Amino acid sequence: MSTQTNSPAKLHRTSVGDFELTVLTDGTYWLDGGAMFGVIPKPMWNKRAPADDLNRITLGLNSLLIRGGGKNILIETGIGPKLEEKRQKIYGNSASLLRSFETLQVSPDEIDIVINTHLHFDHCGWNTYYKDGRPVPTFPRATYYAQQGEWEHAQEQHDRDAISYMTDNYNPLLQNGQMKLLRGDSEIAPGVRVKVFPGHTHHMQAVIIESHGKTACYISDLIPTTAHLDPLWVMGYDLDPITCIDNRKKFYEIAIPEKWLVAFTHDHEHPFAYVERDDRGKPIARYVQ
């Protein structure tokens, strides 16, 4: 198993009660800005996420390591090292997640649980890596969790989103018994639970961390970056944008008054923020450095 030689960005770290939360990174990648903001006109979104001359914007690949309660829990595993050369050139990713592990001086062997919010290739790529041409677990001691409905949809290989799914990221883990499929909202460990928020995919789940009256939430692609806080600024990639809008509003109804810390999966500059409302009632980010 090899890692890139480039150094990862600094590790963002905070705590929620008894849990220590550290953002690990698989680097950054490029996606089309128009696709990331759907029907929102470019003159509006380009102010928040400036595009290059190919209309690409830079996105982060943020994993979250939760340490506490005698467990090491990893949320998401980035794009990983398995993309073919053509796609790697398109996305410009560096597959640097294990460099973050080295910086933190944590071994993949120490991970007890891996949670995939959904099974798109940019969220579960380091679930496995190729050894002698075969996909093997990157985290050999871990139990992996995903939603049953998400896996079933991935197996369909539908024309709309088949390109987003790579079976080598998850099917080998089901075959060897390491991945467990959930049916809806579930407790993963004391203080750590998942809640399904459909919209981006039909069965995408967020991860909620609770301790001593404090709450954090890895909201995943329901709100991919702090530039997407407006409920109407949904992605062209979302399978059901109307449901996505509705679920953002439902999330804010809880997260804002209860002052949840939010972890953003694709915000390479601001992976943590509190969501508040401005004087017009619009959700805005109060960044956490």
Side-chain angles (χ1 to χ4, degrees):
M1 177 168 38
S2 63
T3 62
Q4 298 291 318
T5 57
N6 57 308
S7 299
K10 74 171 184 177
L11 301 180
H12 296 258
R13 183 180 297 167
T14 190
S15 61
V16 171
D18 291 334
F19 291 110
E20 180 187 81
L21 310 182
T22 305
V23 175
L24 306 181
T25 175
D26 198 33
T28 60
Y29 70 134
W30 295 313
L31 281 181
D32 182 81
M36 281 300 295
F37 291 97
V39 299
I40 303 303
K42 183 176 181 179
M44 296 176 67
W45 62 255
N46 197 55
K47 296 176 182 178
R48 302 185 187 182
D52 67 9
D53 56 3
L54 296 178
N55 210 48
R56 302 175 303 183
I57 64 173
T58 301
L59 296 170
L61 292 161
N62 299 330
S63 299
L64 186 65
L65 178 63
I66 307 167
R67 295 197 281 189
K71 299 288 186 183
N72 292 322
I73 301 173
L74 182 67
I75 307 173
E76 309 293 63
T77 63
I79 289 179
K82 298 191 298 296
L83 289 186
E84 66 275 19
E85 184 178 358
K86 179 180 179 181
R87 290 182 76 189
Q88 190 163 4
K89 286 183 178 179
I90 290 171
Y91 297 118
N93 64 296
S94 60
S96 57
L97 181 62
L98 297 192
R99 291 286 294 166
S100 284
F101 272 82
E102 292 170 5
T103 300
L104 197 59
Q105 296 184 323
V106 174
S107 166
D109 293 349
E110 296 178 64
I111 300 300
D112 301 292
I113 292 170
V114 175
I115 303 173
N116 296 140
T117 65
H118 57 300
L119 296 176
H120 284 175
F121 75 95
D122 55 335
H123 290 257
C124 60
W126 271 112
N127 279 6
T128 62
Y129 69 99
Y130 287 136
K131 181 178 182 180
D132 299 326
R134 296 176 59 252
V136 298
T138 306
F139 307 98
R141 292 182 50 256
T143 300
Y144 294 70
Y145 291 92
Q147 285 290 324
Q148 172 89 27
E150 176 72 11
W151 176 79
E152 290 174 351
H153 178 77
Q155 301 306 299
E156 292 175 7
Q157 290 289 290
H158 193 279
D159 290 347
R160 170 66 171 80
D161 59 355
I163 194 171
S164 295
Y165 293 101
M166 296 175 60
T167 57
D168 279 353
N169 286 336
Y170 38 84
N171 280 358
L173 300 169
L174 282 164
Q175 292 162 4
N176 76 2
Q178 275 189 258
M179 177 170 275
K180 296 184 182 300
L181 297 178
L182 306 170
R183 294 182 179 271
D185 302 351
S186 304
E187 183 182 65
I188 303 300
V192 180
R193 60 186 173 93
V194 296
K195 181 174 177 58
V196 177
F197 279 102
H200 179 61
T201 71
H202 298 311
H203 300 274
M204 195 210 78
Q205 59 187 0
V207 184
I208 299 171
I209 304 106
E210 298 164 311
S211 178
H212 293 294
K214 303 293 185 181
T215 304
C217 181
Y218 188 102
I219 196 58
S220 191
D221 277 340
L222 182 67
I223 312 168
T225 76
T226 56
H228 290 84
L229 287 174
D230 189 309
L232 303 184
W233 285 43
V234 295
M235 296 184 284
Y237 298 112
D238 295 331
L239 290 186
D240 189 342
I242 291 177
T243 299
C244 188
I245 291 168
D246 290 344
N247 274 322
R248 285 188 185 184
K249 291 179 179 178
K250 291 176 182 177
F251 176 72
Y252 294 146
E253 287 172 1
I254 301 171
I256 292 177
E258 295 187 3
K259 296 180 171 57
W260 287 14
L261 176 67
V262 183
F264 295 91
T265 186
H266 291 309
D267 198 316
H268 67 291
E269 294 182 334
H270 303 290
F272 285 129
Y274 291 94
V275 182
E276 303 174 343
R277 294 193 187 276
D278 64 14
D279 54 8
R280 298 172 299 167
K282 296 282 190 179
I284 58 173
R286 177 165 62 85
Y287 299 122
V288 176
Q289 301 301 324

